[in-house]
Amino acid sequence: MDLDRPSVARVYDWYLGGTANWAIDREFGKMVLSAFPAGMYCARANRAFLHRAVRHLVRLGVRQFVDIGSGVPTMGNVHQIADEVAPDSRVVYIDREPVAVAHSRILLERHGDPGRHAVIQGDLREPDELWQAVADTGVIDLDQPLALLVTAVLHIQQPGPDGRDLGPEAIARYREMLPSGSYLVLSQITHEGLPEDIARQLHTVIQLYDTNVSKHVLRSNAEIRALFGDFELLDPGVTWTAAWHPEESGLTTPVVDFADPSEAAMLAGVARKP
C-alpha cells in the first residue's frame, strides 16, 4: 500500500463522501475540484448510473454480478442495490487496490452473506486468471448469465509490459468468456461532445492525474461503443451517465442534477450477449 501518493480508488471514495481515504487523497481531490468544480458531481452521476443499471438488470432477471474495479465500498454497493429488488442475488467484487479490498471484506463480514457475496484482489488486465478466481469463490456460476460491471475504470490506463493500454483487449476477452444472455455494463470518461468549459477543465484535471496518480485514456463515443463488440446495446444505447434510465433511480441513488447531461463527462451503456 503506497500512502505517499494519492490513490484513484481512495480519491474517488472521497468524491462520493466516503471515509476510506487519507489526507494525501483529500488534498489531491481538493486540487482537482479547484480546477474542475463539477468533478464530484460527475463521480456521483456515475455511481447513480451503476445503481440504475443494477436495478434495471435485476428487473430483467439477472441475479449474478461481477464488479471489476469495485473500489472502496461507499454510497450503496451492488449487493445492497440488487438485494432491494432480489434478495437472492449474488455478487463478487474485484479490485487491485488493497484498501478497497480490505474495506469490502470488512463490509461483507458485517453485512454480507458468505454464500452470496465475495471480494477478491485481482487485475482487470489478467482476464483468465481473474475469471478463475471468480469461479473459485463458488458464489458465481460462470455457466449461467451474469452481469459484468466495469464502471469508471477504463479511463484509467491499463498498461502492459510494452506500455500499451490493455483495457480494450481485456474487455474483448471478458466478452468471449461471458455466457450467452449475459450483460456488459461500462462507463468511461470521454473527450467528445463536452461543453467547452467542461472540456477545458477536464483537460487540466487529466494532466493532474497523469502527473500525480496514474495515466488516463479518454475515448470517443465510437471507441466506447466498440468496447461492447457485437453485444446488443439496450436502449438508449451509449449515452451520458446522467441520462441512462433515470426512472430506475431509488431512494439510495445519489441525486445529481445537470443543466445538460453532457456535463457528466462520462458515457455509459449496457449491452446483452446474444
Side-chain angles (χ1 to χ4, degrees):
M1 191 186 311
D2 182 2
L3 298 183
D4 294 325
R5 291 170 61 87
S7 153
V8 170
R10 299 193 309 262
V11 174
Y12 189 73
D13 172 71
W14 181 74
Y15 294 151
L16 296 179
T19 58
N21 50 76
W22 274 261
I24 193 168
D25 307 306
R26 296 188 287 274
E27 289 307 311
F28 179 76
K30 292 173 184 176
M31 189 186 310
V32 167
L33 296 185
S34 68
F36 183 31
M40 182 176 290
Y41 303 105
C42 294
R44 296 185 180 196
N46 178 73
R47 193 69 170 191
F49 160 70
L50 175 64
H51 283 205
R52 297 196 300 268
V54 169
R55 285 195 184 88
H56 192 79
L57 292 178
V58 169
R59 296 187 203 284
L60 292 179
V62 177
R63 294 296 182 270
Q64 301 191 114
F65 297 85
V66 175
D67 188 359
I68 300 179
S70 52
V72 177
T74 302
M75 285 183 68
N77 300 281
V78 171
H79 75 278
Q80 294 168 325
I81 302 305
D83 281 359
E84 292 176 6
V85 185
D88 59 338
S89 60
R90 296 170 174 266
V91 181
V92 170
Y93 296 101
I94 303 161
D95 208 285
R96 67 183 185 189
E97 159 68 54
V99 169
V101 173
H103 278 263
S104 295
R105 286 177 176 155
I106 292 170
L107 174 74
L108 293 182
E109 286 173 4
R110 293 175 178 172
H111 306 293
D113 177 343
R116 296 193 299 117
H117 310 133
V119 56
I120 56 180
Q121 190 163 5
D123 195 319
L124 179 149
R125 298 169 294 181
E126 301 172 346
D128 292 273
E129 293 85 347
L130 188 149
W131 219 234
Q132 183 58 54
V134 171
D136 291 344
T137 67
V139 170
I140 302 293
D141 182 349
L142 295 178
D143 292 324
Q144 296 299 318
L146 61 100
L148 177 62
L149 314 174
V150 190
T151 60
V153 175
L154 291 173
H155 45 251
I156 304 165
Q157 190 182 72
Q158 309 290 330
D162 60 358
R164 287 186 307 115
D165 178 40
L166 299 182
E169 294 177 27
I171 295 300
R173 178 59 181 146
Y174 290 117
R175 291 200 308 266
E176 291 176 0
M177 293 189 292
L178 283 169
S180 178
S182 294
Y183 292 85
L184 177 60
V185 180
L186 295 175
S187 64
Q188 130 112 61
I189 296 174
T190 185
H191 55 77
E192 190 175 69
L194 303 175
E196 185 176 338
D197 59 334
I198 297 293
R200 183 176 61 255
Q201 294 168 9
L202 184 61
H203 177 73
T204 300
V205 166
I206 294 303
Q207 289 181 319
L208 286 173
Y209 268 95
D210 286 354
T211 302
N212 297 283
V213 187
S214 62
K215 299 290 185 182
H216 277 53
V217 178
L218 306 190
R219 293 183 173 89
S220 67
N221 187 302
E223 289 171 322
I224 293 170
R225 284 175 179 270
L227 294 169
F228 291 101
D230 62 356
F231 284 21
E232 300 167 352
L233 278 161
L234 304 188
D235 288 337
V238 173
T239 188
W240 303 105
T241 51
W244 199 91
H245 284 284
E247 77 282 359
E248 290 287 6
S249 297
L251 295 177
T252 59
T253 301
V255 176
V256 185
D257 292 322
F258 292 107
D260 182 332
S262 65
E263 294 175 13
M266 204 176 298
L267 291 170
V270 179
R272 181 180 184 274
K273 183 171 184 175

